[in-house]
Amino acid sequence: MNIDSLFVIVISTIFINNFVLSRFLGLCPFLGVSRNLNSAFGMGMAVIFVMTIASFVTWPIYQLVLVPYGITYLRTIVFILVIASLVQFVEMVMNKTVPALYQALGIFLPLITTNCAILGVAILNIEDELTLIESLVQGLSAGIGFTLALVLMAGIRERLELGQVPESLRGVPIALVCAGLMSIAFLGFAGFSIK
């Protein structure tokens, strides 16, 4: 492991293999919270925190508990329990420190527990046979990529509120069209070779 491999993980996870726009994970909060720039940014920060800590916690649990005892088939259940605990912690902290943001995120904050992007990054860290540091970097980068996609989408949707959108496309339909176009734009990064 060296700095170059960590740099490749960062660039790849944020732009090339973005969890929302390339892997299509975490679409529920992506479409649900992206109506307002402030709530999108707040949700993004919460996801960055949970993804990073989940990557940091699930890797040693898998390597030091599940593998030695031969119970790797329980990884999904264990990872979900870890993620749920982290989300509960984030909810309590946000409720006490920034109650306005906590209210703005509403039901989407508990949905981080079932956000497949967070579970996906924990499982991919194991399947890609990453080290602890590489897992931590991938978790942080995946959260940053999720936040980037969320904030870009929120900016687009705020602009669309001011534009003339046909009645039949207002709301979710135009959001899906924009998400598809963003996905195509991010697909352009797939041609880059980082070596």
Side-chain angles (χ1 to χ4, degrees), residues 24-38:
F24 304 110
L25 297 173
L27 291 178
C28 178
F30 173 70
L31 292 173
V33 180
S34 62
R35 291 189 194 117
N36 180 319
L37 202 54
N38 291 333

Side-chain angles (χ1 to χ4, degrees), residues 79-96:
F79 289 178
I80 288 172
L81 291 173
V82 167
I83 292 166
S85 301
L86 291 171
V87 170
Q88 281 300 118
F89 174 72
V90 168
E91 270 192 271
M92 290 186 302
V93 169
M94 286 183 82
N95 193 17
K96 295 292 181 192

Side-chain angles (χ1 to χ4, degrees), residues 18-32 34 148-150 152-154 156-157 160 169 171-187:
N18 186 292
F19 274 70
V20 176
L21 300 174
S22 293
R23 298 183 188 258
F24 304 110
L25 297 173
L27 291 178
C28 178
F30 173 70
L31 292 173
S34 62
L148 175 67
L150 197 61
L152 288 173
M153 185 65 160
I156 290 170
R157 287 181 79 177
L160 286 173
L169 287 177
V172 175
I174 195 69
L176 290 172
V177 169
C178 290
L181 293 172
M182 284 176 59
S183 182
I184 291 170
F186 270 69
L187 186 62

